[in-house]
Amino acid sequence: PTRYRSRPSIRIVDTRYIGTPGLAVEKEQRFGLEAAAVNGRFHFASEAHWLKAQRAVLDDPTFFGAYAEAGVFLTNDSRPLKGGSFGAIKPKKPVGGGGIGAVQFNVRYDYLDLNSNGVVGGKQNGYLASLIWTPAENFRLMGQYSKLKYTDAAIALAGDRSYSVDVIGVRGQISY
């Protein structure tokens, strides 16, 4: 059986508040759209994805997920976008080079619908905000707050399958 499910926002926990039961899927069809733009200190990115799970006997469910993210650098920096991909942030004035590094604020909306044609996997509406500090080219510190609202959740809280979850995460990242 195939299950479709997702971890909440920062994806560092194994808890999956929404998810389908095991489905007898014979084939999948996937469709997606992506868009991104950068204008000076401002950036935007969005994706939408449809997945049709084809089954032999029952109606085929189509699941949908999407996000839109917008951000601004509070310093005189920019997010590199080349060939359809975002590159690494390189602060114009890194720590140790006469500056504080790059400071970025982002907001994001996430949507995931795993309810379709008799399959009840739940819906998630996520509202996220993050602050990202890049003191030097290969190091970042990130803080994020997420408000996640669920309906038809896979996990019931006090017998209720519609509720919200608050997630706070902090992490560091080194790239080489």
Side-chain angles (χ1 to χ4, degrees):
T2 301
R3 294 178 63 193
Y4 301 98
R5 54 194 183 156
S6 180
R7 292 183 176 110
S9 66
I10 57 176
R11 291 168 177 51
I12 60 172
V13 296
D14 284 332
T15 304
R16 292 171 174 93
Y17 293 99
I18 61 173
T20 67
L23 304 174
V25 175
E26 294 185 337
K27 186 166 79 170
E28 294 177 347
Q29 285 183 312
R30 297 172 182 255
F31 306 94
L33 296 171
E34 299 179 5
V38 173
N39 185 5
R41 298 178 354 189
F42 298 92
H43 60 273
F44 171 82
S46 182
E47 292 184 40
H49 185 91
W50 294 263
L51 183 145
K52 183 175 185 177
Q54 296 179 348
R55 304 186 288 180
V57 179
L58 301 171
D59 290 336
D60 298 337
T62 300
F63 305 119
F64 175 74
Y67 80 87
E69 177 178 299
V72 62
F73 280 86
L74 306 177
T75 54
N76 191 25
D77 293 285
S78 185
R79 192 168 181 189
L81 177 63
K82 185 175 182 178
S85 297
F86 285 110
I89 308 293
K90 298 177 184 177
K92 290 181 180 177
K93 294 185 178 181
V95 170
I100 63 166
V103 180
Q104 175 183 2
F105 176 72
N106 292 344
V107 292
R108 179 178 171 127
Y109 171 72
D110 276 339
Y111 178 78
L112 182 57
D113 184 355
L114 297 178
N115 291 344
S116 178
N117 281 343
V119 176
V120 179
K123 289 184 184 181
Q124 173 185 284
N125 286 281
Y127 307 90
L128 300 81
S130 60
L131 188 61
I132 302 168
W133 177 43
T134 308
E137 183 177 340
N138 298 318
F139 180 66
R140 297 195 307 172
L141 293 174
M142 298 163 273
Q144 182 180 66
Y145 168 74
S146 306
K147 177 71 154 188
L148 307 168
K149 295 185 177 188
Y150 294 103
T151 54
D152 298 325
I155 299 172
L157 294 181
D160 192 2
R161 294 194 180 277
S162 296
Y163 51 83
S164 63
V165 174
D166 296 295
V167 179
I168 296 173
V170 178
R171 70 181 179 157
Q173 181 178 337
I174 298 172
S175 61
Y176 52 92

